[in-house]
Amino acid sequence: MPTPPLAGSTTGPDALRPLLDTVLTALHDGAHQRNGPLPAGGPPATARRIRAATHPVIPDHGTGPHHALRTLVTALAQGSADPAHPHCAAHLHTPPLALATAADLAASALNPSMDSWDQAPAASTLEADTTAALAAEIYPHHPTPDALITTGGTEANQLALLLARERHGPVQTICATNAHHSINRATWLLGLPEPLTIPAPTGVMDLTALEETLTRHHHRPLLVTATAGTTDTGQIDPLNDIADLCTTHNAELHIDAAYGGPLLFSPTHRTALHGLDRAHSVTLDLHKLGWQPAPAGILAVPDHHHLHPLTHQAPYLNAHDDTEAGLPDLLGRSLRTTRRPDALKIAVTLQALGRTGLADLIDRTITTAHQLADLITRTPTLDLYARPTITTVLFRPTDTDDHTVATIRRTLLTHGRAVLGRAHAHNRLWLKATLLNPHTTPHDLQTLLDHVTHLAHHLKKGNTPR
């Protein structure tokens, strides 16, 4: 077998073209074989199909690039949950834009490693300028805001708590019951005290409980973590009121806006984030309401000096004399060493769509969520939890117990009909639709509800639907 060609240099594109044609055909064929939002048959059937297609994983003699790509990509596409399908709406699992995916291909082909300038000469500048521009969206009135690219909200939240710890020592975190699980995990990883968790009886942080907690623990360094877009209901904490209380009690504020942060790009909806710029750090995920291939997380701070505790030195990557001679020092831009140039796909999207294009995507998707809420309200056999804050809609069949709700969800998954999430609110289990596809139509939404009501009807009669 000849030595396989590489993806870079001047010869790489010619080597990639026929391979990409094979990949694109396999993606098309796999999606047609799946014929729905996810493969039918549940975990055992899916595992059998993928193992049959890929066995043996390591053959004695290779099958060649086209056969391997065709076989494995087709099998993966056929067995995937497809976030571009309008009935795949369980999680903050976005259908990536084609242009961002194409940019990600270029990033893979060029393969810059974002840990030293000599591995990423152009990408280092692109990342610095892109993160600075995003930080300025969050902190428009600060002279030198900055941001880091992360693998997502979990890493960004961990970094935020790490920076607070480096400023104040073993800071005491305060969060509400609606906070993302990564906050608790970050305190454990960082050796910080377990968070003080206050109630969120209406789905958002209770301000009275927050004030009482701040007053009771005023003798300690405190970090309040608020949420702009919860994973269960998509609700946004009263950010400005929380910031007021933090100012009064000399506490710092971190806002996890992994879901809701991109509302900043929409003139119609950005008011929901009033107070965001008062936080000491902000998490943002553009692989949620930003339509990027994962990962595309952000941690923003109001001043680039806030990132100084991340400074790290390794002589083979950022020797002092190289830095003094003008080579940019990249190691302090992450806790990771080798990193992909995830800024490229973000920058391409920002350039291609601009503010108006991003606002249109956001506004369309939020409108779709309200259309679903309207359809549920008009369906007498369905109950709506609340009007959507962003794009999350909770609902359940009327007069149905939690066991039946869970059964409906699992049956839809097993049959390959729909991917809906689950959330507990007001002591009940709800089906969760997290709408992130700007191409979803009212007909798609009605069909989704028909699947649910059909199943609920059969289960109430004691039948096992097929």
Side-chain angles (χ1 to χ4, degrees):
M1 180 179 289
T3 302
L6 304 178
S9 189
T10 57
T11 58
D14 288 336
L16 279 171
R17 282 191 180 94
L19 298 175
L20 291 180
D21 186 64
T22 298
V23 167
L24 295 175
T25 299
L27 287 171
H28 174 273
D29 292 348
H32 271 275
Q33 291 172 22
R34 183 182 65 244
N35 193 32
L38 79 166
T46 302
R48 281 195 301 272
R49 284 192 293 266
I50 192 71
R51 285 170 180 154
T54 59
H55 182 78
V57 174
I58 308 177
D60 290 333
H61 302 285
T63 61
H66 290 279
H67 182 274
L69 283 169
R70 183 168 55 250
T71 302
L72 271 70
V73 174
T74 300
L76 189 66
Q78 193 275 335
S80 290
D82 180 8
H85 193 286
H87 295 162
C88 187
H91 304 288
L92 289 162
H93 180 197
T94 194
L97 294 169
L99 68 96
T101 305
D104 223 18
L105 167 65
S108 292
L110 294 168
N111 205 31
S113 183
M114 305 301 299
D115 49 311
S116 66
W117 184 87
D118 57 355
Q119 298 176 87
S124 61
T125 300
L126 180 66
E127 180 181 270
D129 291 354
T130 302
T131 52
L134 289 169
E137 294 293 318
I138 295 169
Y139 296 106
H141 307 300
H142 291 256
T144 57
D146 204 352
L148 304 176
I149 291 183
T150 72
T151 53
T154 294
E155 183 188 348
N157 287 338
Q158 182 181 343
L159 279 171
L161 269 62
L162 171 64
L163 293 172
R165 186 192 71 180
E166 294 307 292
R167 287 193 295 270
H168 302 293
V171 63
Q172 175 63 66
T173 303
I174 301 171
C175 64
T177 55
N178 65 353
H180 193 261
H181 63 83
S182 61
I183 299 297
N184 282 68
R185 198 174 193 194
T187 61
W188 168 66
L189 285 167
L190 295 169
L192 295 174
E194 186 176 340
L196 301 172
T197 304
I198 60 178
T202 64
V204 297
M205 183 180 288
D206 184 271
L207 293 173
T208 301
L210 175 60
E211 183 167 27
E212 291 172 352
T213 303
L214 288 168
T215 301
R216 190 163 59 251
H217 296 274
H218 66 91
H219 57 284
R220 309 168 68 178
L222 300 173
L223 175 69
V224 175
T225 64
T227 307
T230 62
T231 53
D232 275 352
T233 64
Q235 290 173 269
I236 297 173
D237 285 335
L239 305 180
N240 209 45
D241 293 334
I242 292 170
D244 285 342
L245 288 172
C246 288
T247 299
T248 299
H249 293 271
N250 196 32
E252 290 198 352
L253 173 62
H254 169 65
I255 298 176
D256 178 359
Y259 179 12
L263 297 180
L264 285 171
F265 290 108
S266 167
T268 303
H269 298 289
R270 66 179 301 143
T271 54
L273 298 178
H274 184 53
L276 187 71
D277 62 335
R278 299 177 65 186
H280 291 79
S281 54
V282 173
T283 289
L284 177 69
D285 263 6
L286 292 174
H287 56 245
K288 293 182 171 65
L289 203 63
W291 296 279
Q292 298 298 295
I298 301 289
L299 177 72
V301 293
D303 190 285
H304 66 88
H305 291 301
H306 290 195
L307 300 175
H308 182 72
L310 300 178
T311 299
H312 182 65
Q313 207 267 330
Y316 75 104
L317 294 173
N318 60 343
H320 290 306
D321 58 326
D322 280 347
T323 302
E324 290 170 0
L327 293 183
D329 181 356
L330 306 186
L331 271 190
R333 305 293 299 176
S334 177
L335 292 180
R336 294 170 284 148
T337 302
T338 303
R339 294 189 294 117
R340 299 184 76 251
D342 290 313
L344 176 60
K345 61 196 174 193
I346 298 171
V348 166
T349 302
L350 296 173
Q351 286 256 325
L353 300 184
R355 296 178 190 279
T356 56
L358 287 167
D360 180 66
L361 285 176
I362 291 164
D363 294 349
R364 282 175 179 269
T365 310
I366 293 175
T367 296
T368 300
H370 283 274
Q371 290 171 341
L372 178 59
D374 291 339
L375 288 172
I376 293 166
T377 301
R378 293 198 295 264
T379 305
T381 56
L382 294 175
D383 293 336
L384 176 69
Y385 171 71
R387 301 295 302 182
T389 301
I390 308 178
T391 65
T392 300
V393 182
L394 303 189
F395 67 102
R396 55 181 282 150
T398 303
D399 300 326
T400 302
D401 61 21
D402 287 357
H403 173 75
T404 302
V405 172
T407 300
I408 289 171
R409 175 181 176 272
R410 286 191 293 268
T411 304
L412 290 171
L413 290 174
T414 303
H415 290 180
R417 298 281 178 81
V419 188
L420 288 171
R422 52 187 289 160
H424 277 92
H426 289 174
N427 298 316
R428 304 173 79 190
L429 181 65
W430 301 79
L431 297 171
K432 177 175 70 171
T434 308
L435 301 175
L436 294 172
N437 187 339
H439 294 279
T440 299
T441 67
H443 179 264
D444 295 326
L445 300 174
Q446 185 60 62
T447 303
L448 177 64
L449 296 183
D450 289 345
H451 287 325
V452 172
T453 55
H454 174 75
L455 269 178
H457 174 74
H458 279 272
L459 290 171
K460 279 186 179 180
K461 287 189 168 185
N463 299 331
T464 302
R466 296 183 178 274

